Amino acid sequence: MTQETVGFAALGIHPNVLAAIVAVGYEEPSPIQAQSIPLILEGHDMIGQAQTGTGKTAAFLISIITQLLQTPPPKERYMGEPRALIIAPTRELVVQIAKDAAALTKYTGLNVMTFVGGMDFDKQLKQLEARFCDILVATPGRLLDFNQRGEVHLDMVEVMVLDEADRMLDMGFIHDVKKVLAKLPPKRQNLLFSATFSKDIVDLANKL
Ligand code: AMP
């Protein structure tokens, strides 16, 4: 192990994720990563107050990928059943998260998929039919579309992330988000990230 990975290595991250961290060139965990990764790995629900640029995306991705590798998938598994669900307010953010997830899952064999509005529906459907879905990154509206058509089932989700929750509410997605939450199994881990904490965000966090 190189000197650079000592900080990350002390956090309990799976070796195959550590290898990817070295490959993407992160040398030291950022403060939010050092604080949140051990808590998430212990299975706690978490609320993180974090702006873009703090490394919050890698914080939840590194933790989720480690957990997926440490917990074997259910024996009976079907296509279209994600184990981890990440909901973000915009297409750009979904694409960025999925890009980071692809880099961090490089040595794991886990599959990352995305659903966003304004992109070819059939193409997004095809990825679901081709492989198991380990991590699904989606905007709330498109996720509901796929769910209502019976293409994606949310009852096997083990961990759910609401990223940029304040923007999600500002953009009027609260009803979609609540509909998605109602489809998730009651036993799951919840992670919520938001730059600001209005009463609505606190209410949403309490609901989780
Ligand atoms: P985020 O706050 O998730 O939007 O991340 C901001 C940027 O920091 C992204 O470009 C990441 O690739 C990068 N990043 C995340 N964690 C680290 C780290 N530990 N060291 C260096 N760069 C990082």
Side-chain angles (χ1 to χ4, degrees), residues 8 25-30 33 51-59 96 100:
F8 277 112
Y26 301 163
E27 294 184 351
E28 288 294 331
S30 69
Q33 290 164 0
Q51 317 274 350
T52 299
T54 52
K56 68 180 161 72
T57 312
Q96 185 57 48
D100 291 351

Side-chain angles (χ1 to χ4, degrees), residues 170-183:
D170 289 348
M171 292 170 74
F173 289 141
I174 185 68
H175 296 298
D176 284 352
V177 169
K178 281 185 177 159
K179 277 188 204 157
V180 171
L181 296 180
K183 307 270 179 184

Side-chain angles (χ1 to χ4, degrees), residues 7-162:
F8 277 112
L11 301 178
I13 299 164
H14 191 283
N16 293 20
V17 187
L18 281 178
I21 290 171
V22 172
V24 293
Y26 301 163
E27 294 184 351
E28 288 294 331
S30 69
I32 190 167
Q33 290 164 0
Q35 285 167 17
S36 66
I37 291 171
L39 285 174
I40 301 172
L41 291 180
E42 282 175 16
H44 296 289
D45 281 357
M46 206 196 74
I47 302 173
Q49 179 159 20
Q51 317 274 350
T52 299
T54 52
K56 68 180 161 72
T57 312
F60 64 73
L61 287 174
I62 289 167
S63 310
I64 289 174
I65 298 164
T66 292
Q67 286 173 314
L68 293 180
L69 294 174
Q70 285 171 346
T71 319
K75 286 209 178 64
E76 211 174 336
R77 220 183 149 192
Y78 298 97
M79 299 291 174
E81 289 183 339
R83 297 182 63 198
L85 176 66
I86 300 163
I87 308 170
T90 65
R91 170 185 168 151
E92 289 69 29
L93 195 56
V94 166
V95 169
Q96 185 57 48
I97 295 168
K99 196 166 146 251
D100 291 351
L104 291 167
T105 52
K106 189 174 175 193
Y107 304 113
T108 67
L110 296 173
N111 297 320
V112 180
M113 299 183 188
T114 54
F115 293 164
V116 285
M119 264 189 191
D120 188 336
F121 199 93
D122 289 336
K123 216 169 131 192
Q124 294 180 54
L125 189 56
K126 280 214 177 76
Q127 54 173 353
L128 269 181
E129 292 165 348
R131 293 174 292 152
F132 285 124
C133 179
D134 297 296
I135 301 175
L136 178 60
V137 194
T139 48
R142 189 45 79 100
L143 175 62
L144 275 177
D145 274 359
F146 274 94
N147 180 251
Q148 281 159 3
R149 287 169 186 241
E151 307 290 359
V152 72
H153 303 277
L154 300 177
D155 47 342
M156 298 304 280
V157 169
E158 298 162 41
V159 50
M160 188 261 329
V161 182
L162 278 184

